[in-house]
Amino acid sequence: MAHIIVVGNEKGGAGKSTVSMHVATALARMGFRVGGLDLDLRQRTFGRYVDNRKTFCDKAGLELPSPTYHELPEIDPATLQDGENIYDLRLSAAVAELEDKNDFILIDCPGSHTRLSQVAHSLADTLVTPLNDSFVDFDLLAHIDGNAEKILGPSVYSEMVWNARQLRAQAGLQPIDWIVVRNRLGAQNMVNKEKMGKALDRLAKRIGFRTAPGFNERVIFRELFPRGLTLLDLKDIGVKQLNISNVAARQELRDLIKALDLPGVTVDF
């Protein structure tokens, strides 16, 4: 059975699709079979990322290790039984098609609360939640007092993850390994960074997640998307000498993959 990685939160702009593409491509480069799904049926950023990669490779005559992207299959509404949800069936059909052909299935969720996202979280063996290093994003996980020192209670996204955990427990499945990834860290505002770190540590113990380092804010990520490339592809497209920023970004990806601690994965890039 494929190990299911869900990348999600309920806020846009946290870098979910960038994390999704880099994790999926890193696993493909290590020889794993990776299937990908994008549940943002309107924007399709992850899907577009994979499309851009295929277009670039076709034009350049390259074969780069890549995830295999799948659209959600269409379901005829006339075939629904009483009480069945068409989105549940579309997602379950996609997972059923992928699970015996892949080592990993990576599901990129939209930056909002949807039925698809809710169901996907209950399927997650590993849940990755990218979070901008900001208390605006922290509010998605928990409410905090004005001094950013006391946690007042869980917020909407944490409650959804809790419900997903309950569903998995009732089904006799393994608990979700939840990792909150601090993304878009900046070099400045050290006081805020320290407060965020302490608040996340307190919340992690309270509601049960691990924290992992993500990606600093770098121009390179915006430049890679139109060609569907990742940090691991630069040498393959003729970049002979990586600059300091690119070397640091590759190390961030290496650290992230290590922190995810996925089954059978030994980082070798």
Side-chain angles (χ1 to χ4, degrees), residues 73-78 80 84-91 116:
E74 295 294 337
I75 300 290
D76 183 355
L80 294 180
E84 286 186 327
N85 183 286
I86 193 167
Y87 292 109
D88 295 4
L89 292 179
R90 293 181 70 188
L91 181 54
L116 274 173

Side-chain angles (χ1 to χ4, degrees), residues 88-105:
D88 295 4
L89 292 179
R90 293 181 70 188
L91 181 54
S92 62
V95 171
E97 182 182 347
L98 295 175
E99 61 185 353
D100 62 346
K101 301 174 185 175
N102 293 279
D103 303 302
F104 295 94
I105 300 172

Side-chain angles (χ1 to χ4, degrees), residues 141-176:
L141 297 177
H143 302 303
I144 199 165
D145 71 354
N147 295 320
E149 293 178 353
K150 183 178 180 181
I151 294 168
L152 305 178
S155 193
V156 288
Y157 183 72
S158 296
E159 291 175 351
M160 186 180 76
V161 175
W162 171 259
N163 290 334
R165 283 173 159 167
Q166 294 296 100
L167 288 173
R168 286 181 67 85
Q170 292 167 11
L173 299 174
Q174 291 292 321
I176 298 171

Side-chain angles (χ1 to χ4, degrees), residues 165-200:
R165 283 173 159 167
Q166 294 296 100
L167 288 173
R168 286 181 67 85
Q170 292 167 11
L173 299 174
Q174 291 292 321
I176 298 171
D177 184 18
W178 185 14
I179 302 103
V180 173
V181 175
R182 294 180 69 184
N183 235 4
R184 292 183 169 168
L185 294 162
Q188 305 300 321
N189 203 355
M190 296 299 293
V191 173
N192 180 76
K193 191 180 298 185
E194 183 178 351
K195 282 187 174 183
M196 272 288 295
K198 289 180 178 178
L200 280 172

Side-chain angles (χ1 to χ4, degrees), residues 40-78:
D40 190 339
L41 303 182
R42 180 175 174 82
Q43 191 165 342
R44 277 189 79 251
T45 304
F46 179 51
R48 288 289 302 143
Y49 210 144
V50 180
D51 290 346
N52 292 347
R53 186 177 185 83
K54 185 178 185 307
T55 299
F56 175 82
C57 287
D58 289 346
K59 288 183 177 179
L62 293 173
E63 289 188 14
L64 298 176
S66 305
T68 303
Y69 180 75
H70 290 257
E71 300 283 357
L72 293 186
E74 295 294 337
I75 300 290
D76 183 355

Side-chain angles (χ1 to χ4, degrees), residues 4-10 16 37-44 69-75 85-95 106-124 127 157 160 164 167:
I4 298 178
I5 306 167
V6 173
V7 180
N9 65 18
E10 291 186 12
K16 289 190 297 298
L37 298 171
D38 190 342
L39 303 190
D40 190 339
L41 303 182
R42 180 175 174 82
Q43 191 165 342
R44 277 189 79 251
Y69 180 75
H70 290 257
E71 300 283 357
L72 293 186
E74 295 294 337
I75 300 290
N85 183 286
I86 193 167
Y87 292 109
D88 295 4
L89 292 179
R90 293 181 70 188
L91 181 54
S92 62
V95 171
L106 190 142
I107 303 175
D108 188 22
C109 292
S112 60
H113 180 79
T114 67
R115 173 76 181 195
L116 274 173
S117 181
Q118 185 178 5
V119 174
H121 279 66
S122 69
L123 300 177
L127 172 60
Y157 183 72
M160 186 180 76
L167 288 173

Side-chain angles (χ1 to χ4, degrees), residues 213-232:
F215 300 131
N216 283 332
E217 183 66 57
R218 300 183 191 279
V219 175
I220 184 68
F221 292 114
R222 293 190 289 273
E223 295 175 342
L224 291 171
F225 173 79
R227 293 176 291 173
L229 299 175
T230 70
L231 294 165
L232 301 179

